[in-house]
Amino acid sequence: MVNSVPSTPIPDDVIIRSEARKPVTDPTLGIQVSVNQTGTPRHRLVTIGDSLTHGFQSGVIFNTGLSYPV
C-alpha cells in the first residue's frame, strides 16, 4: 500500500495545484543571446540526436528553427 504522507516535508516554495500549468511556448525563455555569425565555417555541422535535436516541444515538432543544430 502506498503511503500518502511524504517522508520529507514539502518545501515552502513548492506549489501543489489540482490543474496543470499553462505550457511555456517561448523556447528561449526570454533570454537574448548574441551570436557572431561572421566568416565561413570550416566544417559543416552534422547532428545526430533525438526529438530535442529536431525541435520537439510540447508534444509536437514545433519551432524547428530554434533547434540547436540551426
Side-chain angles (χ1 to χ4, degrees):
M1 179 169 222
V2 177
N3 186 357
S4 63
V5 178
S7 59
T8 58
I10 298 172
D12 292 335
D13 60 341
V14 174
I15 301 171
I16 299 175
R17 301 179 183 185
S18 60
E19 295 180 9
R21 66 178 177 86
K22 290 183 179 181
V24 176
T25 58
D26 178 13
T28 66
L29 302 175
I31 301 169
Q32 297 295 322
V33 177
S34 61
V35 178
N36 183 1
Q37 296 183 351
T38 60
T40 304
R42 185 172 179 186
H43 301 287
R44 180 182 172 156
L45 175 67
V46 177
T47 58
I48 299 173
D50 57 6
S51 53
L52 293 177
T53 308
H54 186 66
F56 197 82
Q57 178 183 348
S58 299
V60 296
I61 301 300
F62 183 69
N63 284 338
T64 56
L66 297 175
S67 64
Y68 72 85
V70 174

